[in-house]
Amino acid sequence: MSFSSLTSACSSLGVKSSSLIVQLGFQTTENNKFPGAFVSSPKRTKIKKFSIACSSTDPLLVKAARGDPVSRPPAWMMRQAGRYMAVYRKLAEKHPSFRERSETTDLIVEISLQPWEAFRPDGVIIFSDILTPLPAFGVPFDIEEVRGPVIQSPIRSEDDLKALHPIDLEMLHFVGESLKILRQEVGGHAAVLGFVGAPWTIATYIVEGGTTRTYTTIKSMCHTAPNLLRTLLSHLTKAISEYIIYQVESGAHCIQIFDSWGGQLPPDMWEQWSKPYITEIVSVVRNKCPKTPLVLYINGNGGLLERMKGTGVDVIGLDWTVDMADARKRLGSDISVQGNVDPAYLFSPLSAVTKEIQRVVKCAGPCGHILNLGHGVLVGTPEEAVAHFFDVSKSLNYDGSSQNHSMEESKLLV
């Protein structure tokens, strides 16, 4: 692991798992056609750089990401802002273009804060997209109602590479401005989260020309044009590294790296075509922002857990196909984990949601766990279930005496 493996208070205590006291009594209470390049508000705000130091005032999520002792597992949800919320759907009717919503400072802030105002999660993630920075380094794209993201000029030859240029962060001013405002709005009550796509995942869109189910073009390129693909991935690595640092300097407490389609690669190919570039990003960011936790999430990562740990990130995000107890055994106690409730559980009776949260938290142990879904919130998810998820998370309390217990001795007390 990175720095947290050296400084983790939990590791120094020999913590491997937990006993929990669960205090019950909680309440149970898009794609659209984008015509041409979107031009957001011309207003420019000078971005204040935040010094994010390790201190007792750090949000709960940051402490858990570092592996520091916490009283309960912090919780947030991937895609916690979005179409399942009535307030979001109402806003989207007024602003039907996804790119307008995700590239206009006022709208980004409003949407990002919708779940914060409704549920008070421990993490507030900026409303954006992994493709947002593409135009800033020479890859324009549109979003069509049926096809989703569309790149009219995919990169498949040496000549195509000429369109690329160093990332122009001024073109992403709305991201920096939004993070600054979110940091001010949330204060120290929650962690502000930024995110990026990993080089391989971003490259799949750039090479394929949009979304794909087979990844045949880019997978073939691994063998037919390996130097071309390496050049593209290297360019993306530098741009993404700078983009992460920009987000941190704009106010993000923590950054999640989405290698969403890394799980589409066989493990040996992921080792060659994704891991080295993520590792380089971690190294560059760690040098500039040593106190900022980095989370790595891959959809379908059951066969990659140990390899993911080797990138040096602080937190491994788990999807719901991985058993939390098994993941803990495979990864060890010197790295934090995030996840991994099945998003479909939120369509079940609330009592079932409660039991699954308790099971996941118990298996994860009392140190270094961020409660989350194994993937994003599904469209149509009842808001009541999301509220219940966060209510349950806040009802949990780690038993201090459990911090010297082994996994075999852990108990969940209700």
Side-chain angles (χ1 to χ4, degrees):
M1 192 186 173
S2 60
F3 66 90
S4 60
S5 65
L6 302 176
T7 63
S8 171
C10 292
S11 294
S12 67
L13 292 172
V15 176
K16 294 183 180 178
S17 67
S18 74
S19 167
L20 290 176
I21 298 174
V22 182
Q23 302 169 345
L24 302 182
F26 38 76
Q27 299 296 315
T28 60
T29 58
E30 35 204 53
N31 290 332
N32 296 285
K33 175 69 177 178
F34 183 75
F38 172 69
V39 180
S40 58
S41 169
K43 180 180 178 181
R44 298 289 189 273
T45 302
K46 186 175 181 180
I47 302 303
K48 176 182 177 181
K49 293 185 179 181
F50 291 84
S51 176
I52 301 178
C54 186
S55 72
S56 60
T57 60
D58 285 328
L60 189 68
L61 188 149
V62 174
K63 293 179 181 179
R66 292 184 178 130
D68 295 339
V70 291
S71 60
R72 65 171 177 84
W76 70 284
M77 292 182 179
M78 290 180 279
R79 293 182 186 166
Q80 65 187 13
R83 289 175 288 175
Y84 76 98
M85 295 189 72
V87 64
Y88 176 86
R89 295 194 300 272
K90 184 176 181 180
L91 182 147
E93 290 177 1
K94 297 180 180 179
H95 305 278
S97 166
F98 174 82
R99 287 195 59 185
E100 180 189 4
R101 297 194 297 273
S102 62
E103 297 182 16
T104 306
T105 300
D106 291 346
L107 296 178
I108 294 170
V109 171
E110 181 178 355
I111 295 170
S112 301
L113 290 176
Q114 286 175 348
W116 165 249
E117 293 168 352
F119 313 118
R120 284 296 192 267
D122 295 299
V124 175
I125 189 167
I126 184 172
F127 183 77
S128 187
D129 192 86
I130 60 173
L131 300 185
T132 293
L134 265 61
F137 52 79
V139 184
F141 73 97
D142 294 326
I143 294 182
E144 297 184 358
E145 185 173 355
V146 176
R147 296 175 61 190
V150 176
I151 295 172
Q152 299 292 351
S153 301
I155 293 179
R156 297 173 182 172
S157 70
E158 295 289 342
D159 285 341
D160 295 335
L161 288 172
K162 296 176 182 178
L164 299 177
H165 57 73
I167 190 167
D168 180 0
L169 295 173
E170 178 60 21
M171 292 180 65
L172 300 168
H173 66 92
F174 48 86
V175 172
E177 292 166 2
S178 298
L179 286 168
K180 177 183 177 183
I181 296 170
L182 289 173
R183 182 72 177 257
Q184 294 169 342
E185 290 290 326
V186 175
H189 300 291
V192 174
L193 307 175
F195 70 92
V196 297
W200 168 264
T201 290
I202 297 299
T204 64
Y205 290 95
I206 294 176
V207 171
E208 299 283 350
T211 56
T212 175
R213 294 184 178 181
T214 60
Y215 306 89
T216 52
T217 303
I218 191 169
K219 285 185 177 182
S220 175
M221 187 180 288
C222 293
H223 308 286
T224 60
N227 292 334
L228 170 63
L229 184 55
R230 290 191 187 99
T231 300
L232 173 60
L233 290 169
S234 295
H235 186 92
L236 293 175
T237 297
K238 187 174 188 304
I240 292 167
S241 298
E242 293 182 29
Y243 187 38
I244 290 177
I245 294 168
Y246 174 68
Q247 291 187 44
V248 174
E249 292 179 342
S250 298
H253 287 98
C254 183
I255 300 291
Q256 178 151 311
I257 301 170
F258 284 92
D259 194 9
S260 303
W261 309 132
Q264 297 294 323
L265 287 169
D268 65 317
M269 289 188 68
W270 186 83
E271 188 87 25
Q272 180 179 0
W273 293 103
S274 186
K275 180 181 177 181
Y277 304 98
I278 296 174
T279 302
E280 183 176 344
I281 289 172
V282 172
S283 177
V284 171
V285 174
R286 188 75 70 223
N287 183 54
K288 288 281 189 177
C289 314
K291 302 300 182 183
T292 302
L294 299 175
V295 184
L296 176 58
Y297 173 82
I298 298 176
N299 189 27
N301 61 6
L304 300 171
L305 296 187
E306 294 83 357
R307 290 175 169 87
M308 292 171 69
K309 184 177 180 180
T311 61
V313 295
D314 304 283
V315 185
I316 300 296
L318 305 170
D319 71 12
W320 71 91
T321 66
V322 180
D323 182 77
M324 179 60 77
D326 182 52
R328 268 302 194 193
K329 291 177 183 178
R330 291 171 60 186
L331 290 170
S333 61
D334 61 338
I335 190 168
S336 297
V337 292
Q338 178 176 273
N340 65 336
V341 176
D342 184 347
Y345 255 101
L346 297 180
F347 291 85
S348 302
L350 298 184
S351 59
V353 177
T354 301
K355 291 179 181 179
E356 178 63 5
I357 291 173
Q358 292 172 354
R359 185 194 68 81
V360 167
V361 172
K362 177 181 177 181
C363 291
C367 190
H369 176 222
I370 300 169
L371 181 62
N372 204 321
L373 302 178
H375 200 273
V377 181
L378 299 172
V379 176
T381 297
E383 291 187 49
E384 178 189 23
V386 175
H388 183 77
F389 181 97
F390 288 115
D391 285 340
V392 173
S393 72
K394 293 167 188 173
S395 77
L396 302 175
N397 184 30
Y398 290 131
D399 179 5
S401 65
S402 72
Q403 300 211 354
N404 289 316
H405 291 179
S406 67
M407 180 66 74
E408 291 74 17
E409 297 170 329
S410 77
K411 296 180 180 179
L412 183 65
L413 304 178
V414 181

